[in-house]
Amino acid sequence: MMQKIPVQIIDASTLAVDSKIHVRLTEGLFQQARRLISWPLLFVYFALVWLQVDGQPWLLFDFGQRRILLFGTSLSWHDLPLLAGIMIAGTSLLFFMAVGWGRVWCGFACPQSIWTWVFIRIEQWTEGRANIRARQERQPLRGILLLRRISKHFLWISFALFTAVTFTGYFIPIRELVADLFTWQAGTGTLGWLVCMAALTYLNAGLVREKICLHACPYSRFQGVMFDDQTRTVSYDKSRGEPRSNKRSSDGSSGDCVDCGLCVQVCPTGIDIRDGLQAACIDCGACIDACDAVMTKIQRPKGLIRFCSEDQLAKISSPLWRPRLIAYLLVSLTTIAAVVYGFTDKTELLVEIRRDRGALFHQLDEETVCNRYLFKVESFNPELQALNLSVSGITGAYLEGMKRIEKSNFAQWLPYRVCAQPTSTSNNQLQIHFQENNFETIKKTTFITSAR
């Protein structure tokens, strides 16, 4: 029999839904872990776009050439299943983490969260701590306060533009993009895209913030489906913390919670973790750091708020590794292995052949029959600069057209004609060879004649 999810009624008057959340920054174990994860990710994001291999960007989504440069290798549109595999692998890892540890991705590695924390730090650096910012909201905007507000928004916009230019550099070579911007040669489409991306970054990380997590993020909507009683999420140990010090029981005893409110003040989504599991919780651990600091000061054990499961709170055996979690891990590993294997068999050369549909064959004379074709070659191997063409399979067959296709002629439809003697076509399977050094690919086609 299925158990109902426990529901706790929360007093709506205690919720600051419409008021601005002034997040108080704190220090602690999880804050350090978040830095160790987010700062390297930021560095990779801003630095990766500048890396090159043999003069080519290390990562570039080149829609004009219908290719993706990925860590020194080139992928064609025929290799899109590899990208789908990467997305499936990433989704499987998200499911694995959600089942095991809740929304830790959101709290530690999600771009929305990382950029929000950066903007919060800029806000604190320019306008002061959270309590100071809260007081300033009720003061007239003038003098030094106006200067601080302008400085904050200037730094926000600057970081948003830096973000937008870097993101665009993954679709347009960053060196060309920056050169065009400094010489005022960038097109209106590029400038419009940069303005839109910068505006979205500024709004999401600076103004909207937690509302993305509360209302727009789909991950928070299906996390409840992923959780079970053994999922380790940020949880408040009610049996240990209640009653709070300002709500002593009839016998005068109280729990460890001193009702300082720091867990709410440091929460980036503005929730009170003491109200239980909530969809808005991103499991960032900020409330754990704040509570542990208070517990240390009042000389009580840490862990009043901690990563634990519902069963652990209920003092029930709660194994971390269970069939469901292992299944997601196996799916993730299998998908990653399939993607790695797929990279060993990716498309190096794409050859397309089209027959002239206007006439199946052309009878030049009694001894010569010709078939007309269009060839198009697309190379996704930087070492292939040219290809030599030849034909085989039919005795006496010869090729008319460009015998060597240079790189400048790749991705273009080129006209060809293959001719042979009608009497020599009992075996009419024609093989067209595209060869350069040790690389060769063969396309087969039927050579059509009037012979019966």
Side-chain angles (χ1 to χ4, degrees), residues 18-314:
D18 298 324
S19 61
K20 181 178 179 180
I21 298 175
H22 296 280
V23 181
R24 175 173 178 168
L25 297 179
T26 186
E27 295 295 331
L29 175 64
F30 291 98
Q31 172 61 26
Q32 292 297 329
R34 188 160 45 250
R35 287 174 180 167
L36 291 175
I37 295 172
S38 60
W39 287 113
L41 288 177
L42 280 170
F43 175 79
V44 169
Y45 171 77
F46 288 110
L48 184 60
V49 72
W50 292 94
L51 296 181
Q52 290 188 341
V53 177
D54 297 330
Q56 295 289 334
W58 215 32
L59 179 59
L60 180 69
F61 298 87
D62 191 349
F63 291 109
Q65 297 294 327
R66 298 195 303 173
R67 63 175 183 169
I68 298 175
L69 300 178
L70 184 64
F71 308 139
T73 187
S74 180
L75 302 179
S76 71
W77 55 274
H78 270 237
D79 297 316
L80 287 179
L82 290 177
L83 298 182
I86 293 175
M87 295 179 64
I88 293 173
T91 303
S92 300
L93 285 175
L94 281 178
F95 289 173
F96 168 73
M97 289 189 294
V99 172
W101 300 274
R103 296 181 65 188
V104 289
W105 157 261
C106 300
F108 291 86
C110 174
Q112 172 71 23
S113 297
I114 292 175
W115 261 255
T116 295
W117 286 113
V118 171
F119 274 52
I120 290 174
R121 291 200 170 275
I122 292 175
E123 188 174 44
Q124 176 162 305
W125 183 63
T126 54
E127 294 189 328
R129 296 187 302 273
N131 58 338
I132 297 176
R133 300 197 302 271
R135 289 199 303 268
Q136 291 175 348
E137 288 291 329
R138 300 185 292 270
Q139 298 176 3
L141 195 61
R142 62 191 179 190
I144 188 65
L145 179 58
L146 177 61
L147 181 61
R148 288 178 177 272
R149 188 68 55 85
I150 293 174
S151 300
K152 178 187 74 172
H153 287 282
F154 173 77
L155 292 176
W156 278 3
I157 293 173
S158 299
F159 193 77
L161 283 171
F162 189 30
T163 300
V165 171
T166 302
F167 183 79
T168 308
Y170 286 102
F171 300 89
I172 301 174
I174 188 67
R175 288 168 174 80
E176 298 178 12
L177 175 63
V178 173
D180 289 343
L181 291 174
F182 276 102
T183 57
W184 299 96
Q185 295 181 359
T188 55
T190 301
L191 293 176
W193 169 260
L194 289 174
V195 171
C196 289
M197 281 301 304
L200 288 174
T201 304
Y202 169 78
L203 290 173
N204 284 349
L207 303 180
V208 181
R209 290 185 183 173
E210 74 283 347
K211 293 179 178 60
I212 296 294
C213 303
L214 292 172
H215 307 296
C217 179
Y219 191 42
S220 64
R221 293 294 175 262
F222 66 76
Q223 70 165 343
V225 180
M226 310 303 300
F227 289 5
D228 56 31
D229 292 340
Q230 286 81 41
T231 300
R232 271 67 172 168
T233 61
V234 174
S235 305
Y236 169 67
D237 192 345
K238 190 173 183 179
S239 62
R240 173 185 157 187
E242 301 293 331
R244 303 170 194 175
S245 58
N246 62 345
K247 300 177 182 178
R248 294 177 180 272
S249 60
S250 57
D251 59 1
S253 62
S254 64
D256 285 352
C257 179
V258 297
D259 205 17
C260 61
L262 286 179
C263 57
V264 180
Q265 297 175 33
V266 301
C267 179
T269 58
I271 66 170
D272 190 341
I273 192 62
R274 295 171 297 181
D275 292 329
L277 178 65
Q278 299 161 66
C281 178
I282 61 174
D283 287 317
C284 65
C287 56
I288 299 179
D289 288 336
C291 187
D292 283 349
V294 173
M295 292 298 105
T296 300
K297 289 181 180 179
I298 63 176
Q299 297 181 348
R300 293 183 184 177
K302 296 180 180 180
L304 178 59
I305 302 176
R306 62 187 185 275
F307 273 94
C308 65
S309 66
E310 290 292 324
D311 282 352
Q312 286 177 319
L313 291 176

